[in-house]
Amino acid sequence: MEQLHMREWSRFTPQQRIQRYVGLALAALVVSWALGSINIIWAWVWDAPNQMGDLFSRMVPPDPANLEAIAKAMWETVNLATIATALAVVLSLPVAYIAAQNTTPNIVTLWIGRFILVSSRSVNTIIWALLFVAIFGPGVIAGIVAIMFRSIGFLGKLLGEAIEEIDPRPVEALQACGASHFKVVLYAIIPQVMPTFFAVSILRWDINLRESTVLGLVGAGGIGVILQGAIDTFNWQEVSTILIAIIALVITGEIIASRLRSRII
Amino acid sequence: MSAAPDHWRKQPFIANPVLRYGLYAAALVYLLTTVATLPIDWERMAQGVVRAGRIFGGAFPPSFERSGLLIDGFMESLKIAILSTVGGLLLSVPIAFMAARNIAPLPIYYLGRATIILARSFHPVIVAIIFVKAVGFGPFAGVLTLIVYSVGFVAKLLAERIEEIDPGPVEAMKAAGASFLPTLFYAVFPQIMQRQIGLGIYQLDSNLRASAVVGIVGAGGIGSTLANAFGRYDYDFALAITMVIVGVILISEAISGTIRKRIA
């Protein structure tokens, strides 16, 4: 009985415990460094709840006066996202084809494909939009091209992975029958990646719908233009109307996307 | 079915021909009408090639002359990312508990879910622009924005993890007469800690990326530096910044991937 009381239960060995404490201490150190050296005016921080409260009190009630223009801009946003997604889907097909190890013609094309994917994905839509607004001027075109450039990397990467995972046997069977390269792609590869293709396109459309709501803030069309206008004129009641409209759009988009996805897969 | 067909035809994706061609036609009509009705200034677009040439001409070679500014911007982005990740992780714990169906009573559950949906609906840039208006330009607005962004993601996944926990330890604690808080600490937290740390590392990486973007609307960090460079037509500096952003993102992605693989 005495012995039983002596036994102490513990989750970690002493070594694990030391590791955990060192980890925690390091994390605390990094956080205090960040907190101590960041360029924040603390008086503003203490005032922030007041300011936020003030802002929200200005936002209610939402003012629907400009609803027609908002609805129009919303429709433009949806179209912008949809067209950009459609174009990106088409353009990502050859990229995915050369970025997949089992279909790429040679090592040079493989690296070209990978380079396109990485550079497209690592630059954010807004940064693409800044560039294309400078090139094409403010407007929908800059937005469409920005979203397209960003989406190609995402779509191409996921499609490329799907191509790499296909069952090689149909490919071999067709090759054994003497089918041309084009027919191998058409009958052995495309049917296998079709479900991924649709699922990924729908997912990207949903993401693009969100992204296209902010393009206007850098001048690239859509609802963001109106939002920026309302913010610049301190029309906070209109801002809240727009924000509600954006929530509605995003949630609707998500519902549509999940419905379509469950239909297809 | 008199003779076996000697030609095999590929199965159509949608079996019903009316629906299939109807959908194709509808998609085509939609595309044509929207492209036709979008407010596009074709003339301006035609000049785009020339302008692109000028921009890229101005951007090459990238200029690292003001690398001090670049490094300052990046350090600020890093600090924003760290602080917002910590804030987001802490805040997401209570919200995740509110949004877990097996822990929270129904009204609180709906409140938690609504908070998560609200935090997820807005693109960080929209949240940033509102915080910039409310609390002023600078990194503080960035930290607040990314806290909201982190809560939307971390709380959602953490709530899902809480819903999946093994109820055994919880029942054991309750049977031993433990009250609510000790049950959380000894039966629930040990089961979700690992997930929370993994999410934290992922979110740090994700916040570092996002901090570059929210800076463009004035919320501090490297994004502000980039937006300024663009605004002053300083394209060679802008290219240098973009290249460094891409490099840092790739490095941080690799680091966070390695860490997550090791702790998983």
Side-chain angles (χ1 to χ4, degrees):
Chain A
M1 204 56 190
E2 196 72 9
Q3 283 258 301
L4 214 65
H5 280 292
M6 301 277 288
R7 272 169 67 183
E8 214 178 288
W9 178 85
S10 77
R11 269 182 80 199
F12 303 106
T13 64
Q15 199 197 348
Q16 277 177 322
R17 206 171 302 155
I18 290 170
Q19 274 174 0
R20 289 165 69 87
Y21 284 134
V22 170
L24 273 179
L26 276 180
L29 211 65
V30 170
V31 172
S32 49
W33 163 74
L35 205 56
S37 62
I38 197 166
N39 185 19
I40 285 180
I41 299 165
W42 292 98
W44 287 6
V45 177
W46 312 131
D47 200 29
N50 285 336
Q51 296 294 333
M52 293 302 299
D54 182 48
L55 192 61
F56 281 110
S57 72
R58 282 165 207 263
M59 280 190 181
V60 278
D63 173 20
N66 221 350
L67 208 56
E68 203 177 322
I70 294 172
K72 224 177 128 206
M74 277 299 193
W75 180 236
E76 187 184 287
T77 307
V78 174
N79 292 340
L80 193 162
T82 311
I83 290 174
T85 311
L87 291 174
V89 164
V90 174
L91 288 175
S92 70
L93 293 177
V95 181
Y97 180 79
I98 63 168
Q101 254 166 351
N102 50 349
T103 50
T104 193
N106 54 51
I107 190 87
V108 178
T109 53
L110 179 68
W111 283 105
I112 294 176
R114 292 203 169 154
F115 175 75
I116 297 174
L117 295 188
V118 168
S119 48
S120 155
R121 275 186 327 121
S122 30
V123 178
N124 196 285
T125 311
I126 297 287
I127 297 177
W128 281 123
L130 272 181
L131 175 68
F132 290 116
V133 167
I135 293 177
F136 296 127
V140 199
I141 277 293
I144 291 178
V145 181
I147 290 201
M148 201 176 82
F149 264 68
R150 167 78 166 177
S151 306
I152 288 173
F154 180 91
L155 293 167
K157 182 179 189 304
L158 294 179
L159 277 180
E161 280 168 8
I163 295 177
E164 283 179 352
E165 280 164 15
I166 58 168
D167 182 355
R169 284 172 302 186
V171 178
E172 283 161 19
L174 276 170
Q175 278 168 348
C177 296
S180 69
H181 190 71
F182 177 71
K183 288 205 164 155
V184 171
V185 173
L186 191 63
Y187 292 110
I189 296 178
I190 289 182
Q192 292 196 56
V193 296
M194 212 55 160
T196 315
F197 171 79
F198 280 104
V200 169
S201 308
I202 292 165
L203 175 63
R204 190 65 220 184
W205 176 77
D206 187 18
I207 298 173
N208 284 345
L209 205 56
R210 266 164 219 251
E211 304 235 294
S212 61
T213 58
V214 299
L215 288 171
L217 299 171
V218 293
I223 185 73
V225 177
I226 294 194
L227 178 62
Q228 181 82 71
I231 288 174
D232 285 345
T233 53
F234 304 106
N235 194 347
W236 293 109
Q237 291 175 323
E238 191 182 323
V239 170
S240 56
T241 316
I242 298 171
L243 293 183
I244 293 170
I246 290 178
I247 295 187
L249 177 75
V250 168
I251 292 177
T252 314
E254 211 164 289
I255 293 172
I256 293 176
S258 73
R259 284 266 170 86
L260 282 177
R261 229 182 347 245
S262 60
R263 275 271 180 97
I264 283 166
I265 305 171
Chain B
M1 263 315 203
S2 49
D6 64 342
H7 254 73
W8 177 80
R9 289 187 71 94
K10 199 162 147 290
Q11 291 295 312
F13 187 62
I14 300 165
N16 184 345
V18 177
L19 184 66
R20 184 175 358 135
Y21 290 111
L23 277 178
Y24 292 158
L28 195 69
V29 167
Y30 168 80
L31 271 182
L32 289 179
T33 47
T34 42
V35 170
T37 55
L38 277 179
I40 294 170
D41 186 349
W42 293 105
E43 206 172 314
R44 167 104 201 196
M45 222 192 125
Q47 298 164 359
V49 183
V50 184
R51 206 164 303 137
R54 209 182 312 143
I55 289 173
F56 285 113
F60 281 103
S63 147
F64 289 94
E65 250 170 55
R66 273 171 292 162
S67 48
L69 217 55
L70 188 61
I71 292 170
D72 284 350
F74 248 108
M75 290 314 265
E76 193 168 84
S77 274
L78 187 63
K79 290 170 199 167
I80 292 175
I82 291 169
L83 294 179
S84 59
T85 307
V86 173
L89 286 182
L90 294 179
L91 199 58
S92 68
V93 173
I95 294 175
F97 274 100
M98 286 166 70
R101 190 64 206 94
N102 55 344
I103 303 253
L106 209 55
I108 293 187
Y109 168 75
Y110 284 131
L111 190 64
R113 282 284 151 188
T115 312
I116 291 175
I117 289 176
L118 203 64
R120 280 168 49 78
S121 295
F122 294 119
H123 194 285
V125 170
I126 292 182
V127 181
I129 216 165
I130 288 168
F131 277 129
V132 166
K133 286 290 162 181
V135 303
F137 284 94
F140 182 49
V143 172
L144 291 179
T145 304
L146 295 184
I147 286 178
V148 172
Y149 176 58
S150 309
V151 163
F153 181 78
V154 177
K156 182 179 150 77
L157 292 183
L158 193 63
E160 279 164 19
R161 179 73 189 89
I162 296 172
E163 287 176 347
E164 284 165 8
I165 59 168
D166 179 0
V170 179
E171 280 162 22
M173 292 285 294
K174 278 187 184 155
S179 61
F180 183 67
L181 273 182
T183 313
L184 279 191
F185 274 107
Y186 293 106
V188 182
F189 279 166
Q191 294 196 55
I192 62 169
M193 255 341 245
Q194 193 164 13
R195 180 63 172 276
Q196 180 74 337
I197 291 170
L199 284 174
I201 290 162
Y202 179 84
Q203 193 61 37
L204 183 64
D205 176 33
S206 167
N207 281 349
L208 189 60
R209 267 159 210 259
S211 77
V213 181
V214 299
I216 289 171
V217 293
I222 189 70
S224 302
T225 322
L226 179 65
N228 285 337
F230 247 100
R232 285 191 308 241
Y233 307 105
D234 218 347
Y235 293 125
D236 49 355
F237 189 40
L239 180 64
I241 297 172
T242 314
M243 283 168 57
V244 176
I245 290 179
V246 170
V248 168
I249 285 173
L250 291 180
I251 293 169
S252 95
E253 195 172 296
I255 294 176
S256 96
T258 321
I259 297 179
R260 268 181 297 145
K261 225 173 270 169
R262 278 196 56 187
I263 65 167

